[in-house]
Amino acid sequence: MEEAIKKTYKDKLISEVLNKSGEKLTEKTQQILAEIRRDTINRPVIFAGKSSCGIIAGANATYDAVKEYLDTRSIDAELLEVGCGGFCAAEPVIEVQLPGRTRVAFQQVLADHVDHLLDQVFNNILDRKRAVAQYRNTYYEAWEGVPFIDELAFFAFQKRIVLDQCGLINPDRIEDYLAREGYQSFLKCIRKGAGAFVCGEETALISTIEGRRGMPSPKPPYPSTKGLFGKPTIVNNVETLANVSAIIQNGPQWFTQFGTDTSKGTKLFSLTGKVENTGLIEVEMGTTLQTIIEKSDGGIANNKKVKALNLGGPTGSSIPSQHFNTPVCFEALNKIDTLMGSGGMVVLDDDSCMVDMAKFFMDFIRKESCGKCIPCREGTLRIYEILENITRRPENEASHQTLERFKGVMQLEELAQVLNDTSLCGLGKTAANPVLSTMKWFRHEYGEHIFDRNCRAGVCKQLRSFHIDVDKCTGCTICAKKCPVNAIIGSEKGPHFIIEEKCMSCGICLDVCKFSAVFVK
Amino acid sequence: MDNPIDQLLKLYPNTRRDNLIPLMQDIHDKLGYLSEEAIIKVSKHLSLPTSKVYGVATFFDQFPFEPKAMFVIHVCTGTSCHLSGSAEILAALEKELNIASGQTTRDGMFRLEEIPCQGACRLSPIIEVNGKFYTGFSTDEISGMLESYKETIM
């Protein structure tokens, strides 16, 4: 059904558009396009993945090694750069296509592995450890014992519309895209941003294009009535625009068959955190979070238990494991007070501290707040201060600091609510999400930090309690001298002790002790 | 021989305000930072008050106002790197170099910067020095790494 709709619509579109413009695809053109697609080849082709994750994993060195291999042995083969298929865990990826055989992908190929790997491939032997998948090709013979790429667990559950050609083509080459029928002609003018989180807000984005500080302005007027240079403007993100090409080509009926009743199409997620297979995935709307975690992944890293899922980046929320059966669609996520946002999906396990996560996100947001409206400018800083107080011991038990910790917490929820209600733009309105969501689902962790002064994950280092092993202590007095709050007592050449009430857990004594007498409990 | 800033200004005959950020990006690419001279020249070229140009430049993290250090150390402080301990690495580097993040050592050799995400979360924590990536980095490797850069200029 899907293919049928796609085909009839495409045929109609092609005949209409191309006939009107008077340019018919000649046989010659079709042949050229097929050559660009490498449908059939007469010499070996090596595709080297060169995306950001690949380059960091060492793809540049691998590329150079392949080039040197071909040059020194005078092998007539083509070396092409391609993008990334989203399977970051496999980088750097090298794909080889021999005439008559299907294109096969090798994972984690570092420069040192290249010689051995290519020696084998050119002799029709596959390095089984690295051969991860092969592409389907009706013309050529498949390799035995290597799964097709759509059979891999990481890819099988995905529905790829936006990422359809990722990893197959070089994103810098328009011919590659043309040959795979992706090209739609629009008039484009590209402006590079200068890096500010708040510029994701549409009015802030518009003001940077106009050459102003990236600060949002009150709505209405909405950009659709008065936007860039005072003209009506539609603001869309790249993911949306990438869908447009597929919709024009295959028609609205084809597109609307994907997703739920109210959320159509697919959604991209960047899956990271404590999982084995990190990467970029695209799933049909309505897929549950549980499916994404299970299917995309060979398992959770180190076999730990998943505690939470952070969805939507810094201004998103953390979802506890009991809600993992929520489908990915706007309504269902709204019901559990979260949002899809940027599509960031961070898996957190028992080694992650939820209070620390909230603090980390607030630190980011307070730095990125543009400072135009007071609730966001002052509120994010205040929330950060409160969280900082919670995640460390008071410097002095007798002072007001102990009280501050409690008072701050009592105000935290109210402050977060005010921030959400009164901020000017989307950043401020969602800025308190990390705090509100962690307080809602992981309140017990806040309690432990405040009352027991204990971080169960051991992440909040400033809550640690330090002790001195009297058997190892030689009484050199260096720790007592370096302690900023005079919490260490003891006489010269005698064992020293830490007064727990005074200690602020800075860890300096641990660093300076030459006899490993200081330990953390 | 024309001043490099003047050469860049010539590429922007249109003096509308929306050229401000692309122009500053070009100067940043060429010089590595925005000098006082550059800001004054840009403001004259676009007929804007210098304060406005400086105001836009300070808004974005991309534009530094002091000459580039010999080695710029970028510590990734994205979510994934944070989970694997980038905050400790940053603190250790600050201590080792005796500067805060966003500062340059007095001899102009190292500059320490935070960067939100490099896009290779599997290999976290990641630090990058002048385009060279160190993946799965730990605090134990810091002194060795810094030494290796000091040796290159000896």
Side-chain angles (χ1 to χ4, degrees):
Chain A
M1 180 64 186
E2 179 192 333
E3 286 303 314
I5 298 173
K6 204 169 161 178
K7 180 136 182 37
T8 52
Y9 196 90
K10 199 195 294 173
D11 288 345
K12 207 171 138 214
L13 194 83
I14 289 173
S15 66
E16 271 182 21
V17 174
L18 295 179
N19 287 337
K20 267 179 197 162
S21 65
E23 285 172 11
K24 278 182 190 168
L25 279 183
T26 57
E27 209 164 287
K28 176 81 184 151
T29 320
Q30 283 177 4
Q31 196 189 334
I32 291 169
L33 293 179
E35 270 171 32
I36 293 172
R37 283 196 300 271
R38 307 290 185 291
D39 280 348
T40 51
I41 51 167
N42 44 29
R43 58 177 181 156
V45 186
I46 297 171
F47 304 86
K50 270 209 182 187
S51 54
S52 63
C53 52
I55 287 171
I56 294 175
N60 279 339
T62 306
Y63 180 88
D64 293 342
V66 174
K67 198 163 186 314
E68 204 194 316
Y69 180 92
L70 298 177
D71 287 349
T72 51
R73 289 164 179 77
S74 310
I75 295 172
D76 181 27
E78 209 177 351
L79 177 58
L80 293 174
E81 285 179 34
V82 289
C84 149
F87 196 16
C88 295
E91 297 289 342
V93 174
I94 289 286
E95 292 167 358
V96 182
Q97 185 170 6
L98 301 176
R101 301 303 294 262
T102 54
R103 177 169 167 180
V104 60
F106 298 94
Q107 64 176 346
Q108 296 176 359
V109 184
L110 297 176
D112 301 347
H113 308 143
V114 167
D115 284 6
H116 182 61
L117 186 118
L118 292 183
D119 278 344
Q120 287 190 320
V121 174
F122 285 128
N123 287 312
N124 273 315
I125 305 166
L126 286 189
D127 182 344
R128 294 284 156 186
K129 205 171 81 204
R130 300 200 189 278
V132 60
Q134 59 182 326
Y135 290 88
R136 290 187 190 277
N137 185 333
T138 42
Y139 303 104
Y140 289 153
E141 187 195 342
W143 295 90
E144 242 175 71
V146 180
F148 287 101
I149 199 147
D150 49 45
E151 290 170 353
L152 282 187
F154 185 80
F155 293 97
F157 81 105
Q158 296 191 42
K159 173 69 211 169
R160 294 190 151 212
I161 296 175
V162 174
L163 300 182
D164 194 24
Q165 311 291 346
C166 281
L168 285 170
I169 64 171
N170 181 347
D172 289 343
R173 271 167 53 106
I174 191 72
E175 311 90 278
D176 279 14
Y177 196 41
L178 265 174
R180 290 176 188 271
E181 302 164 337
Y183 184 68
Q184 308 298 335
S185 175
F186 292 107
L187 196 59
K188 301 175 202 77
C189 169
I190 294 174
R191 281 293 171 93
K192 244 164 71 181
F197 187 67
V198 68
C199 294
E201 206 281 338
E202 50 183 0
T203 54
L205 182 72
I206 287 170
S207 77
T208 58
I209 297 176
E210 290 172 347
R212 293 167 210 282
R213 286 169 76 91
M215 286 178 165
S217 46
K219 289 186 272 189
Y222 288 94
S224 52
T225 48
K226 192 166 178 280
L228 187 63
F229 306 121
K231 303 285 194 304
T233 307
I234 299 294
V235 181
N236 281 126
N237 63 28
V238 177
E239 187 179 347
T240 310
L241 295 176
N243 270 304
V244 170
S245 146
I247 296 173
I248 291 180
Q249 203 153 47
N250 305 311
Q253 289 143 308
W254 167 81
F255 185 75
T256 48
Q257 66 181 320
F258 305 115
T260 64
D261 286 345
T262 44
S263 306
K264 299 290 181 201
T266 58
K267 178 76 192 106
L268 297 185
F269 286 104
S270 158
L271 187 69
T272 66
K274 306 287 179 77
V275 279
E276 291 288 357
N277 287 347
T278 60
L280 185 65
I281 54 167
E282 180 175 0
V283 293
E284 194 172 341
M285 290 274 197
T287 313
T288 63
L289 299 171
Q290 185 74 40
T291 317
I292 296 175
I293 301 175
E294 278 174 6
K295 295 280 173 64
S296 62
D297 183 48
I300 302 307
N302 309 327
N303 288 323
K304 289 265 166 91
K305 197 167 154 273
V306 181
K307 179 154 80 175
L309 198 61
N310 183 278
L311 205 59
T315 58
S317 354
S318 298
I319 305 164
S321 51
Q322 67 261 35
H323 284 295
F324 283 179
N325 56 1
T326 311
V328 173
C329 68
F330 297 107
E331 292 73 24
L333 289 176
N334 257 342
K335 264 187 208 151
I336 55 165
D337 294 328
T338 185
L339 49 121
M340 239 174 272
S342 58
M345 190 181 267
V346 186
V347 178
L348 304 171
D349 65 9
D350 287 338
D351 284 343
S352 320
C353 168
M354 300 313 288
V355 185
D356 179 70
M357 277 314 280
K359 187 177 85 170
F360 168 70
F361 286 136
M362 283 322 291
D363 185 32
F364 178 77
I365 297 166
R366 100 188 144 94
K367 284 177 188 159
E368 292 296 334
S369 170
C370 77
K372 186 170 184 173
C373 75
I374 296 164
C376 179
R377 183 181 67 213
E378 303 297 329
T380 51
L381 177 64
R382 188 76 193 101
I383 291 179
Y384 176 71
E385 285 171 358
I386 292 171
L387 291 172
E388 243 201 343
N389 268 329
I390 296 175
T391 51
R392 68 164 180 234
R393 287 157 168 261
E395 279 168 32
N396 185 347
E397 291 289 343
S399 75
H400 62 282
Q401 283 182 359
T402 328
L403 187 66
E404 283 268 287
R405 289 181 91 218
F406 289 95
K407 223 177 83 190
V409 183
M410 289 191 294
Q411 292 165 344
L412 196 56
E413 215 158 12
E414 200 186 329
L415 182 61
Q417 206 57 56
V418 169
L419 201 62
N420 270 10
D421 293 341
T422 57
S423 294
L424 173 65
C425 79
L427 175 80
K429 281 189 210 301
T430 53
N433 276 351
V435 175
L436 285 171
S437 68
T438 47
M439 281 191 90
K440 184 173 176 186
W441 305 115
F442 301 95
R443 215 184 176 88
H444 53 279
E445 288 198 23
Y446 278 83
E448 282 169 12
H449 279 73
I450 299 159
F451 302 109
D452 309 339
R453 294 183 185 172
N454 173 33
C455 174
R456 60 164 74 188
V459 173
C460 301
K461 295 267 154 64
Q462 286 173 301
L463 280 176
R464 293 174 298 181
S465 94
F466 290 87
H467 303 272
I468 294 175
D469 187 340
V470 285
D471 297 331
K472 283 186 186 166
C473 181
T474 60
C476 72
T477 73
I478 186 148
C479 57
K481 281 179 193 147
K482 292 276 181 186
C483 180
V485 288
N486 295 326
I488 303 177
I489 51 164
S491 54
E492 213 172 309
K493 289 186 181 159
H496 282 53
F497 301 94
I498 298 175
I499 308 168
E500 222 185 322
E501 288 72 33
K502 274 191 172 179
C503 175
M504 55 181 270
S505 304
C506 64
I508 289 177
C509 49
L510 183 74
D511 291 342
V512 297
C513 184
K514 291 178 185 129
F515 309 99
S516 313
V518 183
F519 63 95
V520 186
K521 215 186 221 169
Chain B
M1 182 67 188
D2 244 3
N3 181 313
I5 300 169
D6 291 329
Q7 286 177 356
L8 285 173
L9 290 176
K10 274 186 197 153
L11 301 176
Y12 290 83
N14 182 343
T15 56
R16 285 195 329 192
R17 183 171 181 163
D18 55 301
N19 282 323
L20 175 58
I21 293 174
L23 190 48
M24 290 198 296
Q25 283 171 333
D26 281 357
I27 294 174
H28 173 247
D29 287 346
K30 187 121 195 167
L31 302 182
Y33 75 111
L34 295 183
S35 61
E36 196 177 323
E37 183 200 3
I39 288 178
I40 293 171
K41 283 197 163 154
V42 168
S43 67
K44 280 208 180 116
H45 184 71
L46 301 181
S47 311
L48 282 169
T50 317
S51 61
K52 293 274 177 196
V53 175
Y54 188 64
V56 174
T58 51
F59 186 84
F60 298 101
D61 288 339
Q62 194 188 343
F63 303 118
F65 300 99
E66 49 190 48
K68 220 170 151 186
M70 230 176 284
F71 303 108
V72 183
I73 306 174
H74 282 129
V75 180
C76 178
T77 51
T79 315
S80 211
C81 284
H82 175 77
L83 284 173
S84 43
S86 64
E88 269 176 48
I89 292 171
L90 184 67
L93 275 166
E94 284 179 336
K95 203 172 157 190
E96 187 77 27
L97 295 170
N98 206 12
I99 49 170
S101 154
Q103 290 180 338
T104 307
T105 52
R106 206 176 284 177
D107 55 8
M109 196 165 184
F110 293 105
R111 184 182 168 81
L112 190 56
E113 281 178 11
E114 290 171 51
I115 203 165
C117 186
Q118 297 270 29
C121 299
R122 181 181 65 91
L123 304 164
S124 58
I126 294 168
I127 74 165
E128 177 230 317
V129 185
N130 289 8
K132 182 174 176 193
F133 292 97
Y134 294 82
T135 58
F137 197 71
S138 84
T139 47
D140 305 336
E141 298 167 55
I142 288 177
S143 52
M145 181 200 77
L146 293 180
E147 275 312 311
S148 72
Y149 285 104
K150 282 178 192 158
E151 274 166 23
T152 57
I153 58 148
M154 287 292 183

